[in-house]
Amino acid sequence: DAMVIQNPRYQVTQFGKPVTLSCSQTLNHNVMYWYQQKSSQAPKLLFHYYDKDFNNEADTPDNFQSRRPNTSFCFLDIRSPGLGDAAMYLCATSRAPSGRATDTQYFGPGTRLTVL
Amino acid sequence: AQSVSQHNHHVILSEAASLELGCNYSYGGTVNLFWYVQYPGQHLQLLLKYFSGDPLVKGIKGFEAEFIKSKFSFNLRKPSVQWSDTAEYFCAARFDTGRRALTFGSGTRLQVQP
């Protein structure tokens, strides 16, 4: 089945130690998103890629970076995780016809990040 | 700024009770609306969506939602809930501002008691 895959499902890192979360998709969607979801809160968009174009949200800290080496993969890099960065990180994809609003977003299972 | 509001933060129902979860948005333009469900320990799944056309939308698992433009609302309904409906429900919107991102409501935790 086509899907959005996130690895690892659980990640533990130390305060200040860089960490990379991975997302891959078999849907061949051209848009990929990274959301942060803290406990009992709504998902909050960090940034997204429209094809190769990176779109950062205005309030996303510089500590968060992303890479998309090809259509299928997208990475979230947290350069110096703080305790406040502990959260569930969700990857989502959608298909965006040129010049139109995007279609439905499909979410991966998420990676739960713990910062010690 | 555009926003999505879910006023019910925690709802407790008995099995077979009827469900209605409120969702309101603030925006005067065109909006696409979604309901997502997140079962315990699982990922967000799409329940239903509204883009245009018939304002009464039917989704999976017996859920439906009605878009009422005059009320800026998109309430989720189910006539008879089951224990397996216990989950967090998120309303989301995409506004025609050229921004592709979804704006989520804060979520409603539904607890269905057997």
Side-chain angles (χ1 to χ4, degrees):
Chain A
D1 289 341
M3 58 176 60
V4 182
I5 303 161
Q6 291 188 243
N7 287 302
R9 295 291 307 278
Y10 301 90
Q11 177 73 57
V12 180
T13 190
Q14 292 179 331
F15 182 95
K17 184 175 181 181
V19 67
T20 294
L21 309 183
S22 168
C23 177
S24 63
Q25 51 124 345
T26 60
L27 297 161
N28 202 32
H29 284 172
N30 57 334
V31 190
M32 295 186 77
Y33 308 78
W34 279 105
Y35 288 85
Q36 179 192 64
Q37 185 181 21
K38 295 189 175 180
S39 181
S40 301
Q41 295 184 25
K44 178 181 177 298
L45 183 67
L46 295 173
F47 27 58
H48 74 278
Y49 273 95
Y50 184 103
D51 293 323
K52 294 183 179 181
D53 293 334
F54 178 70
N55 297 269
N56 200 26
E57 292 297 297
D59 56 354
T60 298
D62 293 340
N63 196 26
F64 291 87
Q65 303 285 321
S66 186
R67 296 170 284 135
R68 189 179 187 187
N70 53 53
T71 300
S72 301
F73 284 87
C74 194
F75 300 99
L76 169 62
D77 301 309
I78 308 177
R79 294 193 295 188
S80 182
L83 298 179
D85 297 327
M88 179 74 85
Y89 289 89
L90 303 173
C91 176
T93 73
S94 69
R95 175 185 56 85
S98 176
R100 290 174 52 192
T102 55
D103 208 323
T104 305
Q105 292 186 20
Y106 295 90
F107 286 81
T111 296
R112 184 169 295 282
L113 178 68
T114 300
V115 181
L116 301 177
Chain B
Q2 302 84 29
S3 65
V4 177
S5 301
Q6 292 180 247
H7 301 295
N8 312 108
H9 297 295
H10 191 191
V11 173
I12 302 174
L13 295 173
S14 298
E15 276 192 312
S18 63
L19 170 72
E20 181 160 2
L21 302 182
C23 174
N24 289 89
Y25 65 92
S26 60
Y27 182 64
T30 300
V31 61
N32 301 147
L33 294 159
F34 307 82
W35 275 98
Y36 284 88
V37 61
Q38 191 171 30
Y39 297 104
Q42 296 190 27
H43 63 283
L44 281 165
Q45 300 174 43
L46 181 69
L47 270 181
L48 47 78
K49 61 185 178 182
Y50 172 79
F51 280 18
S52 63
D54 188 344
L56 184 61
V57 179
K58 294 193 182 300
I60 61 171
K61 306 188 181 190
F63 287 91
E64 66 178 29
E66 184 175 12
F67 171 55
I68 303 179
K69 189 173 182 179
S70 60
K71 295 185 178 180
F72 300 91
S73 69
F74 189 57
N75 292 355
L76 181 70
R77 300 194 293 249
K78 185 171 184 178
S80 177
V81 295
Q82 301 172 322
W83 178 79
S84 58
D85 293 324
T86 295
E88 187 105 23
Y89 292 81
F90 290 96
C91 181
R94 185 174 53 243
F95 307 105
D96 69 342
T97 59
R99 192 168 173 269
R100 299 183 186 91
L102 291 176
T103 300
F104 282 86
S106 55
T108 297
R109 180 168 298 179
L110 173 65
Q111 185 178 345
V112 180
Q113 297 177 331

